[in-house]
Amino acid sequence: MKIPERDVLPTLLLPEDPSAQDESLLPPLTQKEARVFHARLAPCLSGKLPWDPELLQLAEQLRLNQPFGSLPPPPLLEIPLSDELLSDLCEDYNPDAGVMGERITGDAYAPFDSRVGAALLFVATLWRGQRGVDCWAQEAGDPVLKRSVHALDRSPPWLYSENRPLAWGEPATADLWVGRLSRVGEGFRRITAWELPDSLPLEKMYRRLQGELWSFRLWHPGASLSELLRLRPELVYRSALELARRHGPR
């Protein structure tokens, strides 16, 4: 019997956001109001449906729309870190990293380079939600290097204008980029950095991140924006790079 040829496609864990992976496998929500809110929020975050203006009122009722908290300043590192070094660490502990770049870029066809690999080191890409940086930290190694990587880990990626982090809600400005910023001695060093068009309508990104924080707080009540971005740094990269592709120079 001849077996017909079929296209083999991966199963999408979260059809509303095809770039998402294991982070979409969450425990069920027990509160009915929370389930209803999440069902309305998810397709708006992905862009499948227009933004629902009633979400803000619902978030207020569920006490999700609390202050964001402050993001930590750029960490002072004992030694400089590079995309190449961090990417090598990522690939040492995740041999499949080369096909996971979409987690960062939101584009399944974007090339995998050292920036993507370095960013993936801090993303939960391994079994049971582990990150490559956590597995690497459990093994013996250079203590100075480990202290520097841990310091960088505690400062999640964000939007910057030159070496200044944008305030929440601040519009796009000159020399806009997304990534991590560190201090080494008297200078600054960009890591996992992508330049962005100065004309980006960042209000769409802020709204998306606010919605992602509301969603995160359904499972982690009272969590800050910094806590969300440390566990889910890909949200900043993917939101910014998807926005740049849609609204950047053509």
Side-chain angles (χ1 to χ4, degrees), residues 24-46:
S24 63
L25 302 177
L26 296 167
L29 293 165
T30 57
Q31 185 183 4
K32 178 182 178 181
E33 292 82 359
R35 294 197 302 270
V36 171
F37 175 78
H38 189 257
R40 293 180 64 170
L41 174 64
C44 295
L45 289 177
S46 68

Side-chain angles (χ1 to χ4, degrees), residues 65-133:
N65 197 41
Q66 303 300 316
F68 299 112
S70 59
L71 292 171
L76 177 62
L77 307 185
E78 296 178 61
I79 57 173
L81 299 175
S82 67
D83 290 342
E84 292 75 16
L85 170 63
L86 298 177
S87 182
D88 287 345
L89 293 178
C90 176
E91 295 183 73
D92 285 345
Y93 290 85
N94 184 0
D96 297 325
V99 297
M100 292 185 175
E102 187 178 359
R103 298 287 296 279
I104 301 299
T105 64
D107 181 0
Y109 301 100
F112 184 92
D113 58 21
S114 59
R115 288 181 304 178
V116 177
L120 279 172
L121 178 66
F122 302 95
V123 177
T125 59
L126 304 179
W127 176 247
R128 294 185 177 178
Q130 295 185 88
R131 305 179 304 161
V133 67

Side-chain angles (χ1 to χ4, degrees), residues 4-240:
E5 294 183 2
R6 294 185 176 89
D7 290 331
V8 179
L9 298 175
T11 300
L12 294 179
L13 297 178
L14 189 64
E16 302 91 35
D17 186 358
S19 296
Q21 294 189 24
D22 287 356
E23 72 274 7
S24 63
L25 302 177
L26 296 167
L29 293 165
T30 57
Q31 185 183 4
K32 178 182 178 181
E33 292 82 359
R35 294 197 302 270
V36 171
F37 175 78
H38 189 257
R40 293 180 64 170
L41 174 64
C44 295
L45 289 177
S46 68
K48 187 176 181 180
L49 293 178
W51 187 259
D52 186 346
E54 295 183 4
L55 286 171
L56 177 58
Q57 181 181 355
L58 295 174
E60 293 278 4
Q61 293 173 359
L62 291 169
R63 298 191 175 185
L64 302 173
N65 197 41
Q66 303 300 316
F68 299 112
S70 59
L71 292 171
L76 177 62
L77 307 185
E78 296 178 61
I79 57 173
L81 299 175
S82 67
D83 290 342
E84 292 75 16
L85 170 63
L86 298 177
S87 182
D88 287 345
L89 293 178
C90 176
E91 295 183 73
D92 285 345
Y93 290 85
N94 184 0
D96 297 325
V99 297
M100 292 185 175
E102 187 178 359
R103 298 287 296 279
I104 301 299
T105 64
D107 181 0
Y109 301 100
F112 184 92
D113 58 21
S114 59
R115 288 181 304 178
V116 177
L120 279 172
L121 178 66
F122 302 95
V123 177
T125 59
L126 304 179
W127 176 247
R128 294 185 177 178
Q130 295 185 88
R131 305 179 304 161
V133 67
D134 299 322
C135 296
W136 167 74
Q138 295 172 8
E139 298 190 2
D142 183 347
V144 176
L145 175 60
K146 288 194 173 185
R147 287 196 298 268
S148 294
V149 173
H150 286 324
L152 187 67
D153 181 26
R154 290 192 293 270
S155 184
W158 189 241
L159 298 167
Y160 288 86
S161 173
E162 296 185 353
N163 294 329
R164 178 184 64 83
L166 264 61
W168 180 267
E170 183 178 349
T173 183
D175 192 21
L176 182 67
W177 60 280
V178 61
R180 297 178 189 261
L181 184 66
S182 64
R183 294 180 294 136
V184 181
E186 299 298 323
F188 289 92
R189 188 182 185 95
R190 300 181 186 185
I191 304 177
T192 60
W194 279 264
E195 294 183 1
L196 301 172
D198 298 342
S199 58
L200 278 190
L202 290 181
E203 63 275 7
K204 296 182 179 180
M205 180 172 173
Y206 292 128
R207 186 174 62 190
R208 177 177 181 178
L209 291 177
Q210 182 183 51
E212 293 284 4
L213 183 57
W214 289 344
S215 177
F216 188 68
R217 284 172 171 171
L218 290 172
W219 285 271
H220 305 275
S224 68
L225 179 64
S226 180
E227 290 174 294
L228 167 65
L229 298 184
R230 184 173 182 271
L231 292 174
R232 299 281 313 281
E234 72 275 11
L235 290 175
V236 177
Y237 298 115
R238 202 161 73 221
S239 298

